[in-house]
Amino acid sequence: MIATLPSRVGRRLVRQLTALLIFGGYLVVSSGCVDQPTNGTLSQAQLSLKEARRARSDPLIAAGDYLDAADAALRSTNHTSGETETEARQTYNEACQELAVFLRDHNQLWDRTETIQSPHHIYKLRFAGESRQTGTWDPGYLDFFRTPRQIRLKRSNENLPKSGWGGVLVGVHKPADPRKYFLPRAGLAVPVTAVVNIGPDRSEGARIQDATLSLYNPGGHESIQLDGAQRPLAADLAAPTGYYPNPLLAGLWAMMRPGSYRERAGLYLLEPYDPDQLPVVFIHGLLSVPQMWRPTIEAIQSDPALHGRFQFWVFAYPTGDPIALSALRLRESLAQVYQLYPKTKGMILVGHSMGGLVARLQSTDSDRVLWDRVFRNDADRLYATLPPDSLVKKALIFDSNPRVKRIVFICVPHRGSYLATSWIGLLGVSLIRLPVAIISKAEQVVLSPVLRSIGFKRLPTGINGLSPRSPLLRSLDTLPINAPYYSIIGDRGRGDSPNSSDGVVPYWSSHLAGAQSELIVPGPHGSFALPQTIAELKRILRLDLATANRRSSDRTKVQ
């Protein structure tokens, strides 16, 4: 008789009978056990989950099975504990995770109310909207999902996933032109925990179950209300950073062939823009790329006192370019941010090595100090010859950016490094190929004889600019830094400052007398990821947060 029914109805009836037989058989075998109903319900949940995976070619049937699995797994925890509860939670989490991915892949079911009939219930499936109070994402904001298994992520002890309820995912927002909004080209990845709450639909009566799929932002909530109880929310805050590509030897290529990297250069927002959060911009150093900041950002995000209060950006630039040019690109990018997002608060810049020099050049009034020191006897003639919009003029003559509120320097060669003039530095310089069109032909004609007269066959590279004899660094060292600044300096664990070095930059080059604080950390030049460095960054961010709160309180009193 079943064979004569329509295929979908026939399949559904077979599965209902199968589930009933399995469930009934389990009750017979388990007769007399205290927890027999719960274990039977868990078996039903696991069976429904398997059926959902088999029925993925039929969206409505698969969705119904996933909802049955989540419902039964949640109900099975009412009278159990220990390993069985853990197993039930795992089944529930898998059902929520797979349901969210499945529905997002089927646009006809995404972000709309749909009545779905399963072998056990009739569900009215709804989607929770965006809410700051409950901490849920707008379903329409997320274009697709990735599971943590699909992402290769190296973890530290600080960014391990948090166990709890809900399916852990990475949601990706990818508009048509991501760079227009300062987003990564691959889209913006965010943490998501999918949760299904099931209960009677009061508008329809107990006959229909209300199933609400909520997509939580786990960073702002430790627990949620689920099935009438407060339960811990599962979270993997580090997973989104693993979504972004990390090309092999990208830092080396960006130094050697700056022109090929220029399309990737610029500011990148790592979270959805929020005008209420305090922006922090991380700037990498020579031979590196923004991905180096991944463990640092993850460690800060894992701090409950800081999470959700700061917004993290990274600045990517080809480190083979002249330092003053890279600083100009950052200056222009910051100006564009405030044009697009005028409510953005004042920024904190965190620079490592060369990135610290790029940051310093954002908070200095140059006047003609840099220009005169670089061009010496030709300074006046060149200043009169080159037009105001000349790239060289814009790179060397500029005003301090009042939006920069603090700067953190990590292993920064303020007065250069002799490694830049060693055979290693000379080899690096010989490998760098600056684009021919880095400046206009008119500027090349004017500048070429001047550059040759001061020892350069062509424009100085990023490595040239790190020489202790660099006129840029020597003149920059005479100019005040207009924002409060903090120094973190490595000594390779030798504890021999002020005669120390991080292996690349000596203490005399990293030390600044006017720093708000100076911390010596027991590490090499790459000390940006040391626990001591991260702890100091957190301290500075807490200080900034306290200052911002005081300002806000003062404004409220005035009003």
Side-chain angles (χ1 to χ4, degrees), residues 435-496:
V436 175
I438 195 170
I439 59 174
S440 67
K441 291 183 178 180
E443 288 179 282
Q444 291 180 41
V445 171
V446 174
L447 288 175
S448 293
V450 177
L451 291 173
R452 284 194 295 270
S453 69
I454 58 179
F456 291 102
K457 295 180 180 178
R458 53 194 172 96
L459 284 176
T461 66
I463 295 178
N464 294 134
L466 295 176
S467 166
R469 296 191 294 270
S470 164
L472 178 72
L473 295 190
R474 288 188 173 186
S475 54
L476 184 61
D477 197 36
T478 68
L479 296 174
I481 303 172
N482 294 333
Y485 53 93
Y486 308 78
S487 295
I488 301 174
I489 301 171
D491 73 348
R492 293 178 290 179
R494 298 180 180 181
D496 54 348

Side-chain angles (χ1 to χ4, degrees), residues 258 262 283-284 315-333 354-355 357-359 361-362 395 438 462:
R262 195 142 290 129
I283 311 165
H284 63 79
F315 179 61
Y317 66 103
T319 58
D321 274 350
I323 295 171
L325 177 60
S326 297
L328 170 62
R329 298 307 185 206
L330 176 56
R331 196 174 304 118
E332 293 173 336
S333 293
M354 181 191 289
L357 297 173
V358 174
L361 285 161
Q362 307 306 308
I438 195 170

Side-chain angles (χ1 to χ4, degrees), residues 491-534:
D491 73 348
R492 293 178 290 179
R494 298 180 180 181
D496 54 348
S497 58
N499 300 312
S500 60
S501 169
D502 63 18
V504 175
V505 182
Y507 176 83
W508 58 261
S509 183
S510 289
H511 170 72
L512 291 175
Q516 301 290 309
S517 65
E518 179 180 278
L519 177 68
I520 310 294
V521 295
H525 190 59
S527 292
F528 54 85
L530 279 184
Q532 295 92 328
T533 300
I534 292 173

Side-chain angles (χ1 to χ4, degrees), residues 246-261:
N246 190 6
L248 184 65
L249 302 179
L252 176 62
W253 192 249
M255 184 196 76
M256 292 172 54
R257 298 293 183 271
S260 65
Y261 192 80

Side-chain angles (χ1 to χ4, degrees), residues 19-93:
L20 181 62
L21 289 171
I22 292 175
F23 184 53
Y26 190 89
L27 291 179
V28 172
V29 173
S30 303
S31 177
C33 295
V34 175
D35 60 350
Q36 68 181 36
T38 298
N39 290 336
T41 307
L42 178 57
S43 296
Q44 176 189 329
Q46 293 169 337
L47 175 64
S48 295
L49 185 58
K50 290 180 181 178
E51 290 295 338
R53 291 165 177 167
R54 291 173 185 160
R56 291 176 69 85
S57 60
D58 192 321
L60 289 177
I61 289 180
D65 286 328
Y66 277 126
L67 291 171
D68 277 346
D71 180 41
L74 199 55
R75 285 188 288 108
S76 73
T77 63
N78 293 334
H79 305 287
T80 188
S81 60
E83 293 183 4
T84 306
E85 182 178 358
T86 301
E87 191 176 0
R89 186 177 71 230
Q90 181 179 349
T91 302
Y92 173 83
N93 290 356

Side-chain angles (χ1 to χ4, degrees), residues 8-29:
R8 178 180 294 181
V9 177
R11 288 199 304 269
R12 182 170 290 162
L13 182 57
V14 169
R15 288 162 51 206
Q16 288 175 328
L17 290 172
T18 303
L20 181 62
L21 289 171
I22 292 175
F23 184 53
Y26 190 89
L27 291 179
V28 172
V29 173

